[in-house]
Amino acid sequence: MSDINTAPGKLAKTLTPAQVWALALGSIVGWGCFVLPGDMFLPQAGPLAAVLGFFIGAFLLLFVAVVYGYMIEYVPVAGGEYAYAYSGFGPTCAFVCGWALVLGYVVIIAINISALALLVRFLFPGVFEFGELYTIVGWKVYFGEVLLMYAATLFFGIMNYCGINIAGVIQIILAFALSGGVLVLFGGVLSTESTHLSNLAPLFAEHRPPLLSILSILAIAPFLFVGFDTVPQAAEEFSFPHSKSRNIMLAAILWGAVLYSLVTLSVALLVPYPEMLARMDVLRAQGQTAWATGEVCNIVFGRLGSVVLAVSVLGAVCTGINGFYVATTRLLLSMARGSILPKWFAEIHPRFQSPHKAIVFTIGIVLLTPWCGRAVVGWIVDMSSVGTAIAYLFTCLAAWRMFRHTPNISNKAGKILVCAVGVLTSLICIALLLLPMSPAFIGLAPRIIMLVWIVLGFLFYRATSPEWGRIPERELRARIMGRPDIPVFFGKK
């Protein structure tokens, strides 16, 4: 029996460190960096609480990223958390972990695709708003915007189909465009006469205590920084030593926190931000597009602001789409190797060395989402934060088990401590999202969707477990982890 590294049709090892960093950063800084400052960060937390929440969340997730670095070196295959959960807890927990992630990954592609509709409504009002179809939760669905989102979905899907090297090169270009656009935006705000520190008052949300304001941002840190875990999903395609992946993820998380902070402060500094939020409320009441970041760009740069905004948001949206195409399809590939999904998903294109059938499936699912409206897709994103935190938890617990049961490891106590902080971070995020008294308690619609997804997962588990339950453990280990001789730690006390 051959392992995945010697089997025909293996994934191409072409990704460079710069491409992987751009993959992580672009997946971290997506549409939310530009839409949420006026919609969530400032109304629910305030400027200081938001910035503190970004950096506290980033600091805690650095520990999780270090643990991911350990596991990438131990199991350098596609699938990331799914493979790590298998190594620590066996196939059932691997299924739970993979099921928790797969919908979240797909829907992050969808929410970034739908952000294109918001962008063109602001930049080119009325151009794509033809063929009104219906309204879902206040969001009008237009046939013109559906066509635009279809084009973007197909473009990035086909690019990934043709091989990850092309996607990696495009990702670097887009990541620099994203970063450059944010820096220009913040610099423009600082050079404007109306900009003053007094505009940041009140520093915390008026309707809740400072601590709860910070916690409301901290709780969604798994969603804000979720992109760094695209790195382990692509680990099988690195053209460099896997030991470098840790620093790549750390750098992406920290720079992501900086970009989130700069955009949020740009919205808050130009004029007293309560006035900006009130202006957005008026626009919403009039049925117009309310976008605080776009308003700031227009005030600072005039029509040139549209160009600055377009560069930044297109960079963020497109890198997010590209990054999560990679993450989604590699997760589907790994789950198919473990026989949780049909083998069809695990097939590698003989020429492009990409999981082409997993990519085709992902394209098909994402093409359904433009018909749902941004609000419905947003509900699933809220739910996906829970799934992401569950994946972090499984990874940190699996690493803890690995270190505990592996002799002769240098700095064993320190590594176990890092895993413990990662576990605690994951549990805090899950609790903040699911406990009713929490300021970040997810809404009723996301909870209903989460319950439906759990029920579907249970039914799918009952349907597929007899098949993969018959596979000998060493063969299943070779399929999921790459080799049958890599130790696993489930069944040990």
Side-chain angles (χ1 to χ4, degrees):
M1 177 181 60
S2 60
D3 62 42
I4 63 172
N5 294 314
T6 59
K10 63 184 179 181
L11 294 171
K13 295 183 179 296
T14 59
L15 286 176
T16 66
Q19 290 173 338
V20 173
W21 176 81
L23 183 72
L25 177 68
S27 302
I28 289 171
V29 183
W31 65 277
C33 181
F34 297 91
V35 175
L36 294 181
D39 289 1
M40 177 184 178
F41 299 153
L42 294 175
Q44 297 189 18
L48 181 58
V51 172
L52 288 174
F54 297 148
F55 279 97
I56 294 172
F59 173 74
L60 292 174
L61 287 175
L62 292 179
F63 289 91
V64 179
V66 170
V67 176
Y68 272 73
Y70 297 148
M71 296 307 293
I72 288 173
E73 288 191 75
Y74 187 70
V75 191
V77 295
E81 298 95 330
Y82 168 73
Y84 309 152
Y86 178 83
S87 71
F89 300 96
T92 296
C93 288
F95 174 89
V96 172
C97 185
W99 192 258
L101 275 180
V102 67
L103 178 64
Y105 279 175
V106 171
V107 84
I108 292 175
I109 303 174
I111 200 69
N112 277 291
I113 289 286
S114 68
L116 291 174
L118 181 64
L119 180 62
V120 296
R121 285 188 186 186
F122 184 82
L123 296 178
F124 312 108
V127 173
F128 289 91
E129 295 172 62
F130 61 84
E132 182 177 341
L133 300 174
Y134 42 79
T135 300
I136 298 182
V137 198
W139 178 266
K140 291 183 179 180
V141 176
Y142 293 96
F143 184 68
E145 292 178 347
V146 169
L147 291 178
L148 173 69
M149 290 184 273
Y150 264 42
T153 301
L154 291 171
F155 173 79
F156 284 98
I158 293 169
M159 184 173 63
N160 275 270
Y161 188 100
C162 292
I164 198 169
N165 189 49
I166 299 174
V169 171
I170 296 295
Q171 193 79 356
I172 293 177
I173 298 170
L174 292 172
F176 276 101
L178 159 64
S179 299
V182 171
L183 293 175
V184 170
L185 170 63
F186 188 67
V189 169
L190 291 182
S191 65
T192 304
E193 289 184 3
S194 63
T195 296
H196 198 275
L197 288 176
S198 62
N199 293 338
L200 297 177
L203 296 175
F204 300 93
E206 293 183 296
H207 61 283
R208 58 174 45 140
L211 179 60
L212 294 184
S213 298
I214 296 171
L215 289 177
S216 68
I217 302 299
L218 180 62
I220 61 170
F223 166 68
L224 297 179
F225 298 101
V226 63
F228 80 86
D229 66 339
T230 59
V231 174
Q233 297 294 345
E236 199 172 312
E237 294 156 277
F238 292 177
S239 63
F240 55 92
H242 290 88
S243 57
K244 291 185 178 182
S245 61
R246 178 187 63 186
N247 291 338
I248 291 172
M249 289 184 287
L250 299 183
I253 291 172
L254 290 173
W255 187 236
V258 170
L259 295 182
Y260 273 112
S261 299
L262 291 181
V263 176
T264 301
L265 291 175
S266 295
V267 174
L269 277 169
L270 186 65
V271 297
Y273 80 88
E275 293 182 15
M276 178 64 73
L277 297 181
R279 190 181 306 178
M280 294 301 104
D281 289 338
V282 171
L283 290 174
R284 291 188 190 95
Q286 296 173 348
Q288 300 182 43
T289 301
W291 192 2
T293 310
E295 187 74 11
V296 167
C297 274
N298 273 349
I299 293 173
V300 174
F301 299 105
R303 291 306 301 172
L304 179 62
S306 298
V307 178
V308 174
L309 185 67
V311 169
S312 301
V313 177
L314 279 176
V317 168
C318 294
T319 52
I321 296 168
N322 203 26
F324 281 99
Y325 256 118
V326 173
T328 303
T329 54
R330 274 57 180 179
L331 177 60
L332 293 173
L333 166 71
S334 184
M335 293 175 74
R337 285 171 171 170
S339 294
I340 287 177
L341 296 177
K343 294 179 181 179
W344 184 85
F345 288 93
E347 292 187 25
I348 306 298
H349 196 283
R351 176 184 172 189
F352 299 124
Q353 296 180 289
S354 63
H356 60 120
K357 292 187 176 179
I359 291 171
V360 169
F361 174 81
T362 303
I363 292 172
I365 294 297
V366 176
L367 287 176
L368 299 175
T369 57
W371 305 94
C372 300
R374 280 184 59 83
V376 175
V377 178
W379 293 341
I380 307 176
V381 169
D382 291 342
M383 181 214 74
S384 74
S385 297
V386 180
T388 303
I390 289 172
Y392 294 164
L393 179 61
F394 270 117
T395 298
C396 294
L397 288 172
W400 176 80
R401 277 198 163 187
M402 177 187 73
F403 290 132
R404 184 181 173 209
H405 293 289
T406 303
N408 303 321
I409 293 180
S410 62
N411 192 23
K412 186 172 185 175
K415 291 177 178 177
I416 289 177
L417 178 61
V418 170
C419 295
V421 175
V423 168
L424 181 61
T425 299
S426 306
L427 291 173
I428 289 173
C429 291
I430 293 171
L432 287 172
L433 290 165
L434 295 182
L435 292 179
M437 69 286 298
S438 165
F441 182 50
I442 62 175
L444 177 60
R447 295 200 304 275
I448 293 173
I449 294 172
M450 183 172 65
L451 180 61
V452 170
W453 190 245
I454 290 171
V455 171
L456 288 174
F458 175 76
L459 296 175
F460 197 79
Y461 174 84
R462 292 292 299 270
T464 60
S465 58
E467 179 180 349
W468 48 259
R470 290 191 294 267
I471 301 173
E473 194 279 321
R474 280 181 61 83
E475 181 180 345
L476 196 59
R477 191 188 317 183
R479 292 186 184 186
I480 297 173
M481 300 174 64
R483 299 200 320 268
D485 58 332
I486 298 178
V488 293
F489 305 99
F490 49 90
K492 297 181 179 180
K493 296 183 179 181

